[in-house]
Amino acid sequence: MSDFVDRMITEYTELETKTTKLNEFIHNKKYLELNEENRALLNAQYNAMMAYQFILKRRIKINGGN
């Protein structure tokens, strides 16, 4: 694999970890203590992260990664 694919894989792995942690927080009691705007922004952030994760995974695949 090329260096740029390796970098994408590293980025994907790090993003996956952050996305998992955010998802866990969203399903935690402390999330419900936030005001509505903060909850909405966290949901938007999570959705953006998931979209980015999907894009990275697809780019990795079409460039020879797994």
Side-chain angles (χ1 to χ4, degrees):
M1 271 185 282
S2 64
D3 286 343
F4 84 96
V5 174
D6 290 338
R7 286 192 304 271
M8 283 193 296
I9 291 170
T10 299
E11 185 174 356
Y12 178 87
T13 302
E14 291 170 357
L15 180 60
E16 186 175 41
T17 299
K18 291 176 183 180
T19 304
T20 298
K21 288 180 180 181
L22 180 54
N23 186 48
E24 289 171 359
F25 178 75
I26 287 172
H27 290 92
N28 185 300
K29 208 183 325 182
K30 290 189 182 252
Y31 169 80
L32 297 175
E33 295 173 6
L34 299 173
N35 65 35
E36 185 177 339
E37 184 175 13
N38 272 303
R39 289 193 312 266
L41 289 169
L42 280 174
N43 286 330
Q45 180 179 335
Y46 176 76
N47 290 329
M49 291 168 72
M50 291 300 294
Y52 185 36
Q53 193 173 330
F54 173 81
I55 291 165
L56 274 175
K57 188 173 188 175
R58 183 72 185 124
R59 288 187 62 219
I60 291 165
K61 185 173 182 171
I62 65 173
N63 286 288
N66 292 324

